[in-house]
Amino acid sequence: MCIRDRLRGTCVYEQSKQYWMSRLHTLPNPPELPLIRAIGEAPYQVSSVDHPPVPTRAFKAACKSLGLTPSAVFVAVYAAVLSMVCDTTHFTLGMLTMWAPEEAQGYDIIGPTRTQNLLEITILPEDSWRTYLQRVQQQMWSDMEHLYFDPLLLLREIRKSRPDDFLVNLQSPGYTDSMGAGEASPFQVRYWHGQLAHILIDAFMSDGGMSYAVANVVDQGMAYHMLHTQHRVLTDIISSPSL
């Protein structure tokens, strides 16, 4: 039986439900990633765009000096780059914290293999990098504290009440967090269509480098520009952790 099913009706479940349902009419739309062709127009294919690595230990040390988690910094920088590509500063990221069963067994993790989240991103004109990164981390933590209620249930209600306003299939960037197990564990960011039916950009970082797996509906030049920009910002954070 799912943990959420066991908690249904409890105080903590109802608090989480209220947290998400209160945002039914305020959660912003996902950004629309520019595409070079319609999804389904051609057979789905993926190619790789690669970049030299960001030093993992140095990155983690820089994040620690800022009082931030590597997960928050990575997804916040990805979101900032995405905001420039999509020309929006207030949007929703689909976030997926996931362990494949074999990974979970390898680290003796017991429980659900994945947790969904809808992460609200807000970028203000007066933001410094530190202020923006802190806001994203705080939003992540607040959301994670209320995941006893599945945010995907909120999506169902959004589709009912905002069918023309909200992208029905949540064509949204998604984020997969390896939860920091192991030195070389990748931080993965995913841009998916529907319920992971078509992953448009699957980005990850490890000791071996940074890569985007890019679907053939996305311009590879644009994807490389996004990857290069994200790499440069992360490198700047490592070299100037005081921001």
Side-chain angles (χ1 to χ4, degrees), residues 116-128:
Q116 307 281 353
N117 185 20
L118 302 176
L119 181 64
E120 183 172 354
I121 298 293
T122 304
I123 304 174
L124 302 176
E126 64 272 19
D127 275 345
S128 65

Side-chain angles (χ1 to χ4, degrees), residues 38-81:
I39 294 173
E41 183 177 307
Y44 178 73
Q45 296 178 336
V46 175
S47 57
S48 180
V49 175
D50 303 308
H51 201 286
V54 172
T56 304
R57 292 188 178 183
F59 175 59
K60 290 182 177 181
C63 293
K64 184 177 181 180
S65 71
L66 291 167
L68 300 167
T69 66
S71 299
V73 173
F74 188 75
V75 72
V77 172
Y78 176 77
V81 173

